């Protein structure tokens, strides 16, 4: 009988023999043996037992991958199965089949994301390619490094909290989005019987140190909008549209001004096409709006003059093109970078000499909020009308409301807002002359 690791190491067939087998002690539990063959280095741990009157044999593992102590433990577990009247070979086959059918978290994500990108959301449209790409990025950056190789069934609530807390240290907003991703992914797994209980149930942003922040309220009143407009003019490149790192290109300058005048999203302006503009109406196709519904915007005279200058610069299909001469549309991030540069916040080290450094921090999206705020507070526009002008989804009770019936009212608000910008933002104080820079007269 073999009883020590040294004996196991030295155990081998005698000269001229193909194989040899010897029993192994295991605290009085019989049936464990070690088999060695002359034609292979590994030695097999075997368990011989009787089930239903038949002699059976199970290979527990091989030495040296499975050490003596591990073989004894595996042997004792197999003996317990036999004592229950079960065949450990069938149990192992069942476990193997279960493992083959079980998903890892990476498997689960791959299946879920394919399902996710085809499912309609609250707006009854599938998510955009941008949204799907963001989900891929969250998984890759914040979740996959720790979770990808785990079986879904082995993922615990404690593990998820650890992973999400780490993500929260880097970016609380991304951590909240990652929690939502996991909630949807694991709900998908639960419905497909990979798990019985979703470990994210009841988990909140507060549990992962990513409590929801208060919604942004920043908007620019007219004096600040005037400072921004003037800063855009002062930083604008020459009429040929050339720009260095110290100035704004003409397309960027004009695009920023159009954001102020229309209240649309930066991506909608950046990818604006000439074939979307008919006289004084800009029709944004459904595939380019967040709500996935076609949206119309009235272009006031000041906005049309901006486009007139762009027509002289942009020969391709896009209104605002990159200054690199590729004919490609302006990237939305270019607008955000320009606003950050004017505030001296484009880099980690702030530039206190920037023209708008003294203002409270604002973003391109805050220009959209500025339009909405001024339209309701200064122009006294109906808030629900302004929501329609922002292309927000209407309240459920107004789902059948005749949106077309209020187009004239929307045009009136955009027109009056354009006049307000022309007289109080784009012109010199106390003057009726609108700034000529940026293509307006």
């Amino acid at each position: 009988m073999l009883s020590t690791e040294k004996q196991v190491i030295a155990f081998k067939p005698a000269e001229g023999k193909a194989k040899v087998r010897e029993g192994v002690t295991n605290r009085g539990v019989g049936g464990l043996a070690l088999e060695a063959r002359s034609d292979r280095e590994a030695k097999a741990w075997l368990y011989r037992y009787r089930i239903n009157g038949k002699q059976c044999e199970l290979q527990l593992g091989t030495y040296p991958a499975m050490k003596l102590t591990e073989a004894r433990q595996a042997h004792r577990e197999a003996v317990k199965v036999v004592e229950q009247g079960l065949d450990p070979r069938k149990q192992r086959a069942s476990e193997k089949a279960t493992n083959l059918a079980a998903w890892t978290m990476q498997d689960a994500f791959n299946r879920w994301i394919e399902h996710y990108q085809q499912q309609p959301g609250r707006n009854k449209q599938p998510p955009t390619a941008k949204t799907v790409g963001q989900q891929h990025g969250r998984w890759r950056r914040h979740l996959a490094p720790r979770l990808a190789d785990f079986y879904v069934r082995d993922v615990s609530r404690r593990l998820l909290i650890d992973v999400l807390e780490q993500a929260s240290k880097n970016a609380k907003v991304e951590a909240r989005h990652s929690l939502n991703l996991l909630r949807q992914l694991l709900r998908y797994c639960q419905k497909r019987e990979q798990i019985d209980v979703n470990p994210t149930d009841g988990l909140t942003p507060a549990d992962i140190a990513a409590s929801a922040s208060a919604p942004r309220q920043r908007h620019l009143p007219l004096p600040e909008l005037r400072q921004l407009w003037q800063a855009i003019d002062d930083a604008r490149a020459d009429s040929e549209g050339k720009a260095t790192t110290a100035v704004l290109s003409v397309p960027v300058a004009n695009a920023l001004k159009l954001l102020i005048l229309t209240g649309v999203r930066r991506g909608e302006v950046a990818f604006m096409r000439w074939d979307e503009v008919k006289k004084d109406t800009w029709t944004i196709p459904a595939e380019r709006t967040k709500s996935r519904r076609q949206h119309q915007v009235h272009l006031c005279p000041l906005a049309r003059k901006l486009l007139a200058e762009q027509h002289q610069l942009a020969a391709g299909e896009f209104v605002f093109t990159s200054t690199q001469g590729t004919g490609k549309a302006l990237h939305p991030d270019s607008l955000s970078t320009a606003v950050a540069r004017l505030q001296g916040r484009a880099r980690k080290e702030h530039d206190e000499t920037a023209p708008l450094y003294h203002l409270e921090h604002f973003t391109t999206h805050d220009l959209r909020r500025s339009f909405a705020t001024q339209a309701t507070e200064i122009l006294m526009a109906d808030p629900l009308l302004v929501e329609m002008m922002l292309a927000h989804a209407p309240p459920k009770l107004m789902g059948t409301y005749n949106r077309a019936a209020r187009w004239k009212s929307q045009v009136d608000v955009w027109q009056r807002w354009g006049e307000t910008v022309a007289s109080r933002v784009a012109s010199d104080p106390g003057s009726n002359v609108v700034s000529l820079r940026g293509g307006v007269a």
Side-chain angles (χ1 to χ4, degrees), residues 302-338:
L302 189 51
R304 295 199 299 275
K305 289 179 180 179
L306 292 173
L307 298 189
E309 181 178 25
Q310 284 304 119
H311 222 301
Q312 297 175 354
L313 297 174
E317 58 184 322
F318 297 105
V319 175
F320 302 102
T321 56
S322 169
T323 56
Q324 296 177 356
T326 60
K328 293 183 178 180
L330 194 67
H331 197 286
D333 287 347
S334 298
L335 302 180
S336 297
T337 300

Side-chain angles (χ1 to χ4, degrees), residues 60-71:
L60 300 171
T62 59
Y63 184 88
M66 178 182 279
K67 304 299 183 184
L68 175 59
T69 55
E70 296 170 325

Side-chain angles (χ1 to χ4, degrees), residues 186-220:
L186 291 169
R187 186 182 300 130
Y188 173 85
C189 294
Q190 187 178 23
K191 290 181 178 179
R192 285 149 186 81
E193 299 184 351
Q194 288 293 314
I195 51 176
D196 295 324
V197 178
N198 186 339
T200 65
D201 284 348
L203 202 59
T204 67
D207 296 325
I208 59 170
S211 298
S213 57
R216 282 183 62 84
Q217 301 294 329
R218 177 74 167 110
H219 73 275
L220 281 68

